Amino acid sequence: EGSGKIVLNITVDQKGVVVTAEISVAESTTSEDCLKEAAIQSALNSHFNSDINSPRLQQGTISYHFVAQ
């Protein structure tokens, strides 16, 4: 209990801000709500390099691996 992988599909704007984060159910290995919420909050708090010459929005994924303590 309290372990597994959560994969999120993210969208990042030109400023490097994560503007959306959604769980990829097919790629994730746990359905625990507390882990999902922690992964989404971490992704939304993430920042990437800004690049005004990049596309307005870019998509990618972030994987979080939770290990039971």
Side-chain angles (χ1 to χ4, degrees):
E1 186 177 344
S3 64
K5 177 175 75 167
I6 300 286
V7 178
L8 301 173
N9 297 315
I10 62 166
T11 304
V12 181
D13 68 12
Q14 288 177 320
K15 296 177 184 176
V17 175
V18 177
V19 292
T20 64
E22 299 175 348
I23 294 172
S24 173
V25 177
E27 297 179 73
S28 298
T29 63
T30 183
S31 60
E32 291 190 41
D33 288 337
C34 63
L35 298 183
K36 290 182 195 178
E37 291 172 21
I40 289 171
Q41 283 304 313
S42 292
L44 291 173
N45 288 327
S46 297
H47 291 311
F48 295 87
N49 293 336
S50 63
D51 184 354
I52 149 169
N53 296 315
S54 68
R56 193 172 67 80
L57 296 173
Q58 296 186 70
Q59 296 182 331
T61 61
I62 298 179
S63 299
Y64 291 95
H65 297 267
F66 294 94
V67 179
Q69 299 290 310

